[in-house]
Amino acid sequence: MDVKKNIAVSNSNKTKSSGYKNFPMVPRVVFGRGSFDQLGDILLPKRRNAEAPVIFLIDEVFEGDDLVTRVPLMFNDKIIFISADEEPKTQQVDVLVTRIREEYSELPSGIVGIGGGTLLDLAKAVALMLTNKGSAQQYQGWDLIEKPGAYHVGIPTISGTGAEVSRTAVLLGPNRKLGINSDFTPFDQVILDPDLTKGVPRDQWFYTGMDCFIHCVESLNGTYLNAFSQSYGEKAFDLCKEVFLGDLPAEESRDKLMMASWHGGMSIAYSQVGVAHALSYGLSYVLGVKHGIGNCLVFQHLKEYYPEGVELFHRMRDKHRISLPTGLCESLSETEMDTMIAVSLSMEPLWENALGASWRERISHNTLKEIFLKI
């Protein structure tokens, strides 16, 4: 993929004293088909005592599924099934934290998230809020978390969001959609078992996979680009092309998309996303559109900013016969449209990555309104 030349590395990755941000990574990861069954052995040394449970937050789609019978429950461990039909919310995090605190006298030995991006972000946020005072909405932003969270494990059951590797827990708050971005957010342990992604509905598989693809396009074409981000982004970009434009056997496709998700998440750890994600945040906040499909709805209209990426996106969509909904924004009130645009414009680091420090000279209220009215 052609990327911009003579790119200036953004100061957002630098610190005042030492020059560059010392970002954390997931310290432990297991990859392989069937690796989910190692979870019990992984958790055992982290169990402090019988009164400090492990809390499993699991997508409710697995309720009654064989996967649940394989969860290594001990002592007073608890499974909480959670719907992933809507984006995760700050209030939802607060309710879960209150429930856990009221039910158990000790801090849990661990929080395990099993599901897609919604469950992984919830698990990260709950682990953080168990050890930090106040409401989750207070920590939406960058580097506001003061204390390490409870031990937390991420197990994705769909590939593409990069939530398993990111330092962000993206949440819908009362006033905005914004992540809890901190050095304490990444998982302590991740289990990547491609077998867990079997049976994902085709549309959902595509939308979530495109989240990864769009991560790569935005990172590789951004002004924050550096060799670290580029190395991960290019690998994920190539893997996405293999998965969505090739004819891979099912097992190989699952393996490669899971690794594309990991590399795509890493590609933005030291850079940033861009225009599609900024607009998707506004779309999600006002209309509740889920992140993956929101990115697709926006990205199809961004040829001006990402011409090669958008052309490839349309080829992938055509190959897999994906039809995107239309007319979502045509009946919005002026207030709703203004709110959608305001939320999108508030994502300043994303705009700066996409268009540089002078991005406001290219982007206006009307620019975004024209794009949204196409959706």
Side-chain angles (χ1 to χ4, degrees):
M1 177 180 182
D2 293 332
V3 295
K4 292 182 178 179
K5 297 181 180 179
N6 302 319
I7 288 181
V9 177
S10 165
N11 287 330
S12 71
N13 286 333
K14 296 182 180 181
T15 62
K16 293 180 180 179
S17 58
S18 58
Y20 292 95
K21 180 69 176 175
N22 187 15
F23 280 115
M25 295 186 186
V26 174
R28 291 184 177 273
V29 58
V30 178
F31 172 84
R33 300 169 198 164
S35 58
F36 179 82
D37 291 328
Q38 293 180 224
L39 180 58
D41 292 337
I42 288 169
L43 292 175
L44 193 58
K46 303 298 180 180
R47 294 180 178 277
R48 296 194 307 278
N49 57 63
E51 302 304 316
V54 174
I55 309 296
F56 298 87
L57 305 181
I58 304 178
D59 190 328
E60 68 176 13
V61 74
F62 294 108
E63 191 167 4
D65 189 89
D66 174 67
L67 177 66
V68 177
T69 67
R70 296 161 60 196
V71 173
L73 297 173
M74 294 180 66
F75 308 124
N76 57 345
D77 290 353
K78 190 178 191 67
I79 290 176
I80 301 176
F81 290 106
I82 294 173
S83 170
D85 288 342
E86 297 181 350
E87 297 277 278
K89 299 177 175 63
T90 54
Q91 183 183 18
Q92 188 179 16
V93 173
D94 294 343
V95 168
L96 285 167
V97 169
T98 299
R99 175 180 174 181
I100 292 168
R101 284 176 173 162
E102 290 178 349
E103 190 166 344
Y104 301 99
S105 59
E106 290 201 30
L107 179 73
S109 293
I111 303 294
V112 180
I114 303 175
T118 293
L119 270 296
L120 298 183
D121 283 342
L122 277 176
K124 288 188 283 190
V126 168
L128 292 172
M129 294 312 303
L130 282 168
T131 58
N132 287 272
K133 296 179 180 179
S135 167
Q137 73 181 79
Q138 297 173 225
Y139 298 94
Q140 286 182 284
W142 281 266
D143 300 308
L144 301 175
I145 292 288
E146 298 177 351
K147 297 179 181 179
Y151 175 78
H152 47 304
V153 179
I155 306 175
T157 60
I158 188 170
S159 298
T161 68
E164 66 273 16
V165 71
S166 77
R167 70 188 296 271
T168 303
V170 181
L171 302 171
L172 274 173
N175 302 310
R176 55 188 174 174
K177 177 181 176 181
L178 186 62
I180 298 178
N181 301 270
S182 83
D183 285 357
F184 301 118
T185 306
F187 286 109
D188 298 296
Q189 170 79 57
V190 169
I191 296 177
L192 300 176
D193 184 345
D195 283 347
L196 299 184
T197 66
K198 290 180 181 178
V200 173
R202 183 172 60 93
D203 284 6
Q204 190 178 1
W205 165 81
F206 182 84
Y207 298 144
T208 309
M210 286 302 99
D211 188 16
C212 175
F213 174 72
I214 295 167
H215 281 161
C216 300
V217 173
E218 292 181 321
S219 176
L220 290 171
N221 287 278
T223 63
Y224 289 11
L225 186 67
N226 50 72
F228 183 96
S229 298
Q230 185 173 347
S231 63
Y232 284 104
E234 288 178 346
K235 183 61 179 176
F237 185 84
D238 289 342
L239 287 168
C240 284
K241 287 196 294 184
E242 284 190 67
V243 170
F244 291 103
L245 292 177
D247 294 296
L248 300 175
E251 285 190 344
E252 186 177 351
S253 177
R254 288 192 291 269
D255 290 354
K256 290 194 172 187
L257 187 55
M258 185 159 272
M259 291 318 302
S261 180
W262 182 270
H263 282 74
M266 286 299 301
S267 74
I268 58 172
Y270 211 64
S271 62
Q272 203 28 288
V273 285
V275 179
H277 276 75
L279 295 176
S280 179
Y281 273 67
L283 199 64
S284 176
Y285 182 78
V286 173
L287 295 178
V289 176
K290 294 198 70 175
H291 185 67
I293 189 172
N295 280 336
C296 292
L297 288 168
V298 172
F299 192 68
Q300 64 179 329
H301 300 300
L302 299 184
K303 186 176 181 180
E304 177 182 350
Y305 307 100
Y306 308 110
E308 180 187 356
V310 172
E311 190 273 331
L312 283 172
F313 169 80
H314 286 303
R315 283 175 56 193
M316 293 172 178
R317 191 182 69 168
D318 290 344
K319 178 179 175 65
H320 297 284
R321 299 183 178 89
I322 300 296
S323 297
L324 294 173
T326 59
L328 272 69
C329 297
E330 63 185 11
S331 300
L332 288 179
S333 68
E334 283 299 315
T335 299
E336 289 172 320
M337 179 63 77
D338 289 345
T339 300
M340 186 179 291
I341 292 169
V343 169
S344 299
L345 288 174
S346 72
M347 308 304 294
E348 294 187 10
L350 282 64
W351 291 107
E352 184 173 324
N353 176 52
L355 303 173
S358 59
W359 64 270
R360 291 177 182 83
E361 297 174 10
R362 292 183 57 187
I363 297 297
S364 68
H365 184 281
N366 286 337
T367 307
L368 300 198
K369 185 174 182 178
E370 288 177 6
I371 296 173
F372 281 131
L373 286 175
K374 296 176 183 178
I375 297 172

